Amino acid sequence: MYVAVKGGEAAIDNAHRLLAEVRRGDPAVPDLTVAQIREQMALLVDRVMAEGSLNDPDLAALALKQARGDVVEAVFLVRAFRTTLPRFGASVPLETGRMTLSRRISATFKDLPGGQVLGPTFDYTHRLVDFGLAEGEQLEPAAEAEPREDAAATPRVTDLLGRDGLIEPSPQDDGTPLGDITREPVDFPCDRSTRLQALARGDEGFILALGYSTQRGYGRTHPFVGEVRVGTVAVEFVPEELGFPVLLGTMQVTECQMVNQFKGSREVPPQFTRGYGLVFGQSERKAMAMALVDRALRASELGEPLASPAQDQEFVLAHCDSLQATGFVEHLKLPHYVDFQAELELVRRMRAEAEDKREAAE
Amino acid sequence: MAVTDQGSQTQARRAVMALCAAATGQELATALAGLAAPGAEDIRAPEIGLVMATGRIGGDGRPFNLGEVSVTRAAVRLADGRTGFAYHLGRDRARARRAAILDALWQGEADRPGVEEALAPVARRAAADAAAQARRTAATRVDFLTLARGED
Amino acid sequence: MLRAGFRDPVHESQGVFRAVLDALARPGTIHAIPARLDPPAPLTPELAAIALALTDGDTPVWLDPALAAGHDVAAYLRFHTGAPTTADPARAAFALVREAERCPPLADFAAGTPAYPDTSTTLVLALDRIEAGPGLRLTGPGIRGAAELALAPLPPGWPAALRENHAGFPLGVDILLAAPGRLAGLPRSTAVEG
């Protein structure tokens, strides 16, 4: 139970003024601009957009500045901002197959039609701290090469396997309306679309840990990375007054197709199953972990025993949101004086009763 | 035939609107400045809102909600009654309004070539950016070799 | 031809919202409603302002036959608010009634459910006249003692229908009354005699 407490107004105002000053840090150091954060802390901005569930790099960068770099606080600001805006509608589904790629790799096929491109990746770096960066080192310009002719035709790995019937097809669009976890509370069990929405905005650390747990045996799915691709996709929307799709612009996304252990039955020949991850910005870690957890959450659909946390819809979905989690954990610091007073009284009484009993026994 | 004309006209209009969506606010201001654009009335004041971006399970299956994108829209009417619309990612009201005016101007046959001409530099800049990006990506193309494991 | 909406959507919507809030919080009092719109006939500027301020893609709107005739009003509201229209009053979040003298029975609209009484319809009625004075006698939350309100035209079955609506509390519809430049509220919590 919460009981309102009064007072502290001046202290709160002063705490906020102090926060503003501390956020700014040493005034002798130049103030960060939003553009600097957007350009140079791009992966952090991407994370805030993914978990804030709002693609708007400038807004996410500003939120990070205001939040002193705290991701969850920045997510809170972004989520609060979005509640002030009207929704015009839903986009045409993104055509990730027509993505302008900046990176595309496969761990299953080395000779992929369209080829593999590494793009800007940390992979293969030596993870040695570059002290030159601290000195504001000059950059060597990126190398260039003529794109190969097939670079624009990049079928998904799952399409290649699908042609031979070696992998299950994607669930068909049967036209049933989409649930939306930002509008209606989630009922369990929920469908895969709803789960993917929750995972796409879920806390990266939590999803990563769950994905990892499936690799360590808690709901094993024998995954292979069919493909990870990063790039920009067109976002199209059909305004009612126009009746045809207009291009809103392009945005960066990361997609992961996980190819998982095969199964078969009397009706279905053995084939690979799939897990899917799609996330705003560039985050292979999040997209891959999401694909692992998506596949694990399909356990009951695929007739697998439900034994591990990553397979438990309610456990995963009810706990994957960083904002909900922080809200409930951090609310514990709000005044619980009356609650605690009651508990204190109870403990005192129980102790007194126990004391009385012991004395009576002696 | 009329239907086909209608269709190709819509395609052409979509292409111009897409070009405006790829343009910066400054590029649109420059394009408009060269067109002696008439005054425009807001039918619906430029407004910031959200569009739920949807993806597809597996890339090609049933849709799901990926997350929202911020969008600015504008709707204007020129003095002669032509209306124009714009929907853009981001929160730049002035930019969306300029694009809506360009869309309205494009509705008139007489203004069409002028609008397309004024936006040609944007098309060239966007194509050059895309080509440069593609060349930089192409330089990171990799051919992995599988080393024999000794079975054969 | 599409007509313009609010020139300053944020502040004009806020102004209307405030007037609606005050009208429902203090039943029987009459509030000025800023309505500088020029909507397609027969939609009144007041109904238009309330619709533009309160409805969106999540609020199905029911239009009375006078407003639903022709498509201008529906197209105008749809363009500015994104709200879908519904032919079923029981599914409406908002009902816009231009001809109050032909207003359907209140029981035709959504009364909400015991778990979610807020899922009821809010009726917005265009009237010719709203005056303080002998007519309906109102008592209940937000009213010190009693208030009196004279309305014209009075919808069929009122005030008995209002008494019935109140009797179902916490279920029931809430009603906004909008005459030129004036707004009053009759929430379900108000007891009506007259």
Side-chain angles (χ1 to χ4, degrees):
Chain A
M1 186 177 78
Y2 312 110
V3 176
V5 287
K6 290 173 94 171
E9 209 170 315
I12 290 168
D13 279 347
N14 289 340
H16 291 167
R17 281 172 59 180
L18 180 60
L19 170 68
E21 199 177 284
V22 170
R23 179 196 64 69
R24 176 62 182 83
D26 182 351
V29 176
D31 193 24
L32 264 177
T33 66
V34 169
Q36 283 172 335
I37 298 170
R38 186 192 64 221
E39 297 299 314
Q40 299 177 40
M41 291 286 137
L43 301 185
L44 187 57
V45 168
D46 286 350
R47 181 163 178 183
V48 171
M49 293 199 300
E51 293 177 29
S53 205
L54 179 63
N55 195 289
D56 186 329
D58 286 305
L59 186 82
L62 176 59
L64 275 164
K65 177 172 177 167
Q66 184 179 336
R68 305 180 63 200
D70 184 296
V71 172
V72 180
E73 187 65 28
V75 166
F76 202 159
L77 293 170
V78 168
R79 295 261 188 104
F81 178 79
R82 72 160 280 285
T83 65
T84 66
L85 300 178
R87 190 188 280 180
F88 300 150
S91 80
V92 177
L94 303 176
E95 288 275 1
T96 55
R98 291 168 54 191
M99 188 185 291
T100 301
L101 296 171
S102 58
R103 174 163 166 79
R104 179 195 192 215
I105 51 162
S106 170
T108 46
F109 294 103
K110 65 183 174 64
D111 300 313
L112 211 50
Q116 301 197 41
V117 288
L118 298 180
T121 181
F122 292 120
D123 296 354
Y124 323 106
T125 63
H126 294 108
R127 268 74 183 211
L128 297 174
V129 174
D130 180 358
F131 290 96
L133 276 180
E135 307 295 324
E137 192 176 77
Q138 288 299 305
L139 284 178
E140 191 186 355
E144 296 195 8
E146 203 56 43
R148 285 223 318 238
E149 270 175 27
D150 63 349
T154 52
R156 298 183 192 88
V157 165
T158 42
D159 295 344
L160 303 178
L161 283 167
R163 267 174 224 158
D164 301 327
L166 294 175
I167 192 164
E168 58 169 0
S170 297
Q172 284 307 298
D173 181 1
D174 56 5
T176 51
L178 275 187
D180 184 345
I181 60 171
T182 68
R183 301 292 165 116
E184 310 113 35
V186 179
D187 277 332
F188 299 102
C190 59
D191 70 1
R192 195 169 165 201
S193 293
T194 305
R195 302 196 303 254
L196 286 172
Q197 181 181 11
L199 294 176
R201 70 200 321 242
D203 182 77
E204 181 174 310
F206 182 77
I207 308 256
L208 175 67
L210 281 173
Y212 179 42
S213 74
T214 68
Q215 291 179 280
R216 292 196 62 259
Y218 294 88
R220 208 181 274 285
T221 60
H222 303 283
F224 293 93
V225 170
E227 183 182 342
V228 171
R229 55 171 71 192
V230 183
T232 54
V233 286
V235 190
E236 291 191 318
F237 174 67
V238 182
E240 179 148 313
E241 65 270 17
L242 294 177
F244 56 81
V246 298
L247 178 73
L248 300 178
T250 59
M251 68 173 174
Q252 191 182 39
V253 294
T254 303
E255 182 186 49
C256 174
Q257 304 270 2
M258 206 64 89
V259 176
N260 299 81
Q261 71 186 7
F262 51 86
K263 64 181 282 282
S265 65
R266 227 165 278 166
E267 294 83 41
V268 185
Q271 58 180 356
F272 290 107
T273 57
R274 315 159 51 146
Y276 185 69
L278 183 66
V279 58
F280 285 150
Q282 178 176 1
S283 180
E284 286 162 47
R285 183 186 305 124
K286 172 73 181 278
M288 291 171 66
M290 177 176 170
L292 288 175
V293 177
D294 170 47
R295 174 61 185 80
L297 287 172
R298 297 180 58 206
S300 59
E301 172 199 342
L302 295 170
E304 294 164 347
L306 284 179
S308 302
Q311 299 169 321
D312 184 331
Q313 290 189 13
E314 190 161 354
F315 180 81
V316 175
L317 265 58
H319 301 118
C320 70
D321 190 273
S322 56
L323 196 54
Q324 280 175 8
T326 208
F328 207 50
V329 168
E330 291 203 54
H331 103 280
L332 291 173
K333 69 195 171 190
L334 296 175
H336 284 67
Y337 306 134
V338 175
D339 270 344
F340 188 69
Q341 201 60 41
E343 301 258 315
L344 209 54
E345 291 298 324
L346 186 62
V347 172
R348 287 200 177 111
R349 202 171 62 233
M350 286 162 68
R351 280 173 69 107
E353 282 167 11
E355 188 80 0
D356 289 348
K357 266 188 206 148
R358 209 181 62 221
E359 278 172 15
E362 279 166 10
Chain B
M1 284 310 285
V3 172
T4 316
D5 286 351
Q6 191 71 37
S8 65
Q9 179 150 333
T10 300
Q11 289 306 319
R13 185 177 175 196
R14 285 179 63 195
V16 169
M17 293 177 85
L19 204 48
C20 287
T24 65
Q26 187 52 52
E27 283 174 328
L28 294 181
T30 306
L32 267 181
L35 287 170
E41 171 205 10
D42 286 322
I43 315 177
R44 189 170 54 198
E47 181 186 15
I48 298 170
L50 304 167
V51 165
M52 175 55 86
T54 57
R56 289 189 180 280
I57 299 173
D60 59 355
R62 178 167 151 72
F64 70 96
N65 294 315
L66 173 63
E68 286 159 321
V69 294
S70 58
V71 170
T72 304
R73 68 179 179 186
V76 299
R77 177 164 33 233
L78 306 183
D80 63 11
R82 277 181 280 173
T83 56
F85 302 88
Y87 282 77
H88 288 173
L89 291 186
R91 287 171 287 114
D92 190 339
R93 291 189 181 86
R95 175 170 166 259
R97 193 169 189 280
R98 286 175 198 139
I101 295 171
L102 285 164
D103 179 50
L105 283 171
W106 189 88
Q107 307 299 310
E109 296 273 356
D111 285 320
R112 201 163 289 174
V115 171
E116 289 174 2
E117 176 89 357
L119 288 170
V122 179
R124 284 195 293 273
R125 194 266 307 152
D129 286 355
Q133 182 59 41
R135 290 180 59 80
R136 280 143 37 109
T137 301
T140 69
R141 182 166 175 140
V142 64
D143 290 306
F144 287 113
L145 302 172
T146 311
L147 300 181
R149 280 177 163 178
E151 287 99 342
D152 50 13
Chain C
M1 190 172 83
L2 277 171
R3 290 174 186 249
F6 288 135
R7 284 200 162 62
D8 177 2
V10 171
H11 294 103
E12 288 181 70
S13 300
Q14 279 176 1
V16 173
F17 179 79
R18 186 75 226 178
V20 168
L21 191 65
D22 289 342
L24 288 174
R26 299 267 177 256
T29 56
I30 298 169
H31 300 265
I33 175 162
R36 289 177 287 272
L37 295 166
D38 176 26
L43 191 62
T44 70
E46 292 75 22
L47 291 190
I50 292 167
L52 263 55
L54 298 186
T55 67
D56 66 14
D58 290 334
T59 55
V61 172
W62 180 85
L63 300 176
D64 78 349
L67 293 172
H71 291 292
D72 286 359
V73 171
Y76 174 84
L77 294 174
R78 183 83 184 160
F79 178 73
H80 288 293
T81 69
T85 49
T86 174
D88 178 4
R91 289 198 55 243
F94 289 89
L96 302 185
V97 180
R98 176 65 182 85
E99 293 183 331
E101 63 275 29
R102 291 199 240 300
C103 181
L106 298 182
D108 287 2
F109 297 95
T113 63
Y116 298 100
D118 55 305
T119 53
S120 58
T121 305
T122 299
L123 273 82
V124 189
L125 270 68
L127 299 181
D128 297 334
R129 202 169 58 84
I130 304 173
E131 307 281 352
L136 303 178
R137 185 170 181 280
L138 315 177
T139 55
I143 306 169
R144 188 186 295 271
E148 289 197 308
L149 215 48
L151 310 178
L154 197 65
W158 287 26
L162 294 172
R163 275 199 294 276
E164 247 172 72
N165 184 51
H166 172 66
F169 189 87
L171 306 190
V173 300
D174 300 311
I175 300 165
L176 291 167
L177 307 167
R182 304 166 73 108
L183 179 71
L186 284 176
R188 69 191 85 175
S189 57
T190 298
V192 183
E193 299 158 40

